[in-house]
Amino acid sequence: MNAIERALLRLERTLGASKVLTDRAACEPYARDESEAEGVVPPGVVRVASAADVAAVLAVCDDERVTVVPRGGATGRTGGAVPVVPSVVIDTLALNAVKDVDRANRTAVVEPGVLTGALHSLVEAEGLFFPPDPLSAEWCCLGGNVAENAGGPRAFKYGVTREYTLGVECALMGGSVVRAGHRTSKGVAGYDLTALLVGSEGTLGVFTELTLRLVPLPGEVRTLVASFATLDDAGAAVAAVVARGLTPRCIELIDDVCCGVMRANDPAVLPPGAHAVLVIECDGRHPGAVDDEAERVADACLDARATAVERARTPEAREALWSVRKVMSRALRATARYKLSEDVVVPRTRVPDLLRAVRAIAESERVVMPAYGHAGDGNLHVNLLWNDDSERPKVHRAIERLFRATLDLGGTLTGEHGIGVLKAPYLAWEQSPELIDLQRRVKAAFDPHGLLNPEKIFAPGGAPSHRGC
Ligand SMILES: Cc1cc2nc3c(=O)[nH]c(=O)nc-3n(C[C@H](O)[C@H](O)[C@H](O)COP(=O)(O)OP(=O)(O)OC[C@H]3O[C@@H](n4cnc5c(N)ncnc54)[C@H](O)[C@@H]3O)c2cc1C
């Protein structure tokens, strides 16, 4: 019997056989997420139902020196939840209780398997708001969001998940459970380990409870769709809106290929003829103030060469627009056999430069590279689409050129999807050896034997080679 078999047998005895999957067919779906990362079918999956279950898995696996991969909704884009070596997967979907929503203190205490969209609906019914809104909210979990420090369209005004995570309960390799952070709105005792654990991509510990910050619900929302004759004009308009001191809650850019994909899904959601659009939303609690801001945003767009600015007139029209935007990524995937989605970020004033660089790379490498995303934050989802395995070398070149261009523009390789396994070979392009070494030592303090989510963030070594192509 090998170490994994021994660990799984011990876990069956401790937790009960119903929580431990070992049948290959049942384990097969756990070899994938929503990225192109190539995983191995894990020999075992534990469906945890309590913090004690998680602690038991981490105690047994540490003892047997078996690697462990935490998993939430598996919507990750960089293979974070994909086992790349035979491992025990911790499935957190059943760890999904909302333990408390405290209106007076504006906090929620949840287990990590709660779906993000479910929390949105629950707190909004109470007049509260959890701003982080990854467009996967219907399918992803809060544990995965905290592990990735997820963002979303509303991050432009409200910031990302880290700003809304007050504290975490976290199980560590070896089986101890620690609490970091606080339930109060302020708290500075000791190192800010909550901030460190947010965005740690399941490599330091496994969240078993999250204390989240809520804000009052901004009941008034206005949605604008600004059309442009060129992508350059749309990119320049982003900076123009910001330069006027306006803070809409989101500024989303959609290029002509992506406009086509959205129109194919629902012809009514975008104006015909536009080659690029910005979807901009303003929100607040006072209708007059929100109308005023929306008007000023529309003026800024028109002054920046928008050919038209339309308003979503009804809640239904707004809902239709967002439902098509939410499935953009999957709709794009359906247009080609292979798709990779990068989520590079540049200073927002450099968005036009990034768009020009993408166009130049796409033309010279002859790769289809549609772009859309959270342009207000300078965060664009640049996609690479191809149909034939023989095209992989040029796709690989295009990705590397995109990363170089992003870094040359003062940007970063990932704004919300994390490094995971796909970008691990490129971390050293952005960060110094000293910084990477320091992070490896932090990892070793949490996980001395390197068993938790191996090969994520830090590549095992060797020449850069994008794992998805
Ligand atoms: C259509 C679509 C749209 C998307 N839009 C956005 C977007 O707008 N913004 C954005 O930020 N992302 C977006 N994403 C990416 C993805 O949804 C996010 O990264 C999300 O946070 C992942 O959550 P998950 O529950 O699916 O996590 P998983 O994919 O299951 O896991 C992600 C990482 O978290 C770790 N993890 C999971 N649970 C735990 C836990 N309890 N403790 C410790 N580590 C854990 C895993 O090990 C892995 O490293 C999108 C994805 C899709 C498919």
Side-chain angles (χ1 to χ4, degrees):
M1 199 182 275
N2 65 30
I4 299 191
E5 287 163 350
R6 265 198 316 275
L8 289 168
L9 193 62
R10 283 175 65 184
L11 288 168
E12 271 178 12
R13 286 190 188 134
T14 318
L15 305 177
S18 64
K19 287 183 182 164
V20 183
L21 308 179
T22 50
D23 177 63
R24 189 178 160 86
C27 293
E28 243 163 28
Y30 293 87
R32 296 182 292 278
D33 64 0
E34 292 242 11
S35 72
E36 298 289 330
E38 287 159 18
V40 300
V41 177
V45 174
V46 184
R47 288 176 165 162
V48 292
S50 67
D53 289 355
V54 179
V57 178
L58 298 187
V60 168
C61 289
D62 199 52
D63 192 39
E64 298 285 357
R65 300 288 189 266
V66 165
T67 53
V68 182
V69 177
R71 184 177 176 101
T75 64
R77 294 305 210 166
T78 54
V82 169
V84 288
V85 295
S87 306
V88 171
V89 169
I90 297 184
D91 177 340
T92 59
L93 286 180
L95 196 51
N96 62 4
V98 175
K99 292 183 165 176
D100 184 37
V101 175
D102 181 340
R103 264 182 94 163
N105 288 304
R106 293 186 190 150
T107 54
V109 179
V110 300
E111 290 183 334
V114 172
L115 292 178
T116 312
L119 183 73
H120 286 153
S121 309
L122 188 78
V123 301
E124 283 170 29
E126 306 249 343
L128 294 166
F129 191 47
F130 180 65
D133 62 335
L135 287 167
S136 49
E138 281 171 48
W139 315 289
C140 65
C141 301
L142 290 158
N145 293 173
V146 173
E148 296 289 0
N149 191 17
R154 300 194 296 231
F156 178 65
K157 177 171 180 179
Y158 290 100
V160 293
T161 302
R162 182 173 283 119
E163 275 112 305
Y164 296 89
T165 310
L166 293 171
V168 296
E169 180 188 83
C170 189
L172 306 178
M173 286 310 298
S176 60
V177 177
V178 293
R179 279 182 171 274
H182 42 87
R183 253 188 106 143
T184 48
S185 60
K186 294 171 82 177
V188 294
Y191 293 139
D192 191 349
L193 292 187
T194 308
L196 171 66
L197 288 161
V198 178
S200 61
E201 302 190 29
T203 63
L204 300 181
V206 182
F207 305 125
T208 49
E209 188 185 283
L210 310 163
T211 302
L212 304 172
R213 183 166 76 88
L214 307 173
V215 296
L217 179 68
E220 302 293 329
V221 183
R222 306 287 179 269
T223 304
L224 306 174
V225 178
S227 306
F228 296 85
T230 69
L231 195 53
D232 280 354
D233 287 349
V238 174
V241 169
V242 179
R244 293 199 182 182
L246 300 165
T247 316
R249 76 173 179 186
C250 73
I251 308 181
E252 294 281 295
L253 178 141
I254 302 165
D255 81 358
D256 53 349
V257 173
C258 299
C259 284
V261 167
M262 284 179 73
R263 285 192 197 99
N265 220 319
D266 181 347
V269 293
L270 292 181
H275 291 288
V277 303
L278 293 180
V279 176
I280 306 179
E281 281 196 336
C282 301
D283 73 355
R285 292 172 70 74
H286 305 291
V290 183
D291 282 331
D292 180 56
E293 186 176 45
E295 211 153 292
R296 291 199 287 147
V297 166
D299 288 345
C301 289
L302 289 167
D303 291 348
R305 301 161 67 103
T307 53
V309 180
E310 290 181 12
R311 247 182 205 219
R313 297 271 164 213
T314 60
E316 293 74 29
R318 183 173 169 264
E319 190 45 48
L321 176 66
W322 281 108
S323 51
V324 174
R325 168 67 185 87
K326 279 178 195 164
V327 294
M328 162 85 80
S329 170
R330 288 171 174 171
L332 260 183
R333 174 164 286 185
T335 66
R337 187 164 164 215
Y338 300 111
K339 168 178 171 289
L340 271 172
S341 170
E342 300 299 345
D343 78 316
V344 293
V345 195
V346 293
R348 66 174 69 93
T349 49
R350 309 303 301 269
V351 166
D353 300 309
L354 178 66
L355 291 168
R356 274 191 288 277
V358 170
R359 203 163 46 231
I361 297 166
E363 278 168 14
S364 67
E365 298 293 354
R366 293 167 186 264
V367 177
V368 182
M369 293 177 69
Y372 64 90
H374 320 309
D377 288 315
N379 185 191
L380 283 190
H381 297 309
V382 180
N383 295 268
L384 298 101
L385 304 173
W386 73 104
N387 284 306
D388 199 289
D389 286 318
S390 65
E391 295 178 273
R392 284 179 189 270
K394 68 179 186 180
V395 173
H396 183 86
R397 264 194 320 271
I399 290 170
E400 297 207 333
R401 287 179 63 187
L402 171 68
F403 288 171
R404 286 275 180 229
T406 300
L407 295 173
D408 288 348
L409 290 168
T412 175
L413 299 183
T414 173
E416 49 185 29
H417 292 169
I419 293 289
V421 66
L422 291 183
K423 288 185 192 163
Y426 296 99
L427 186 64
W429 286 22
E430 180 171 332
Q431 298 189 341
S432 69
E434 293 78 10
L435 187 62
I436 292 175
D437 181 56
L438 181 59
Q439 292 173 91
R440 281 187 185 275
R441 282 185 280 141
V442 170
K443 159 84 174 156
F446 279 82
D447 175 20
H449 306 295
L451 299 171
L452 192 56
N453 220 358
E455 301 192 22
K456 311 299 163 63
I457 303 181
F458 309 108
S465 126
H466 199 284
R467 300 286 290 260
C469 69

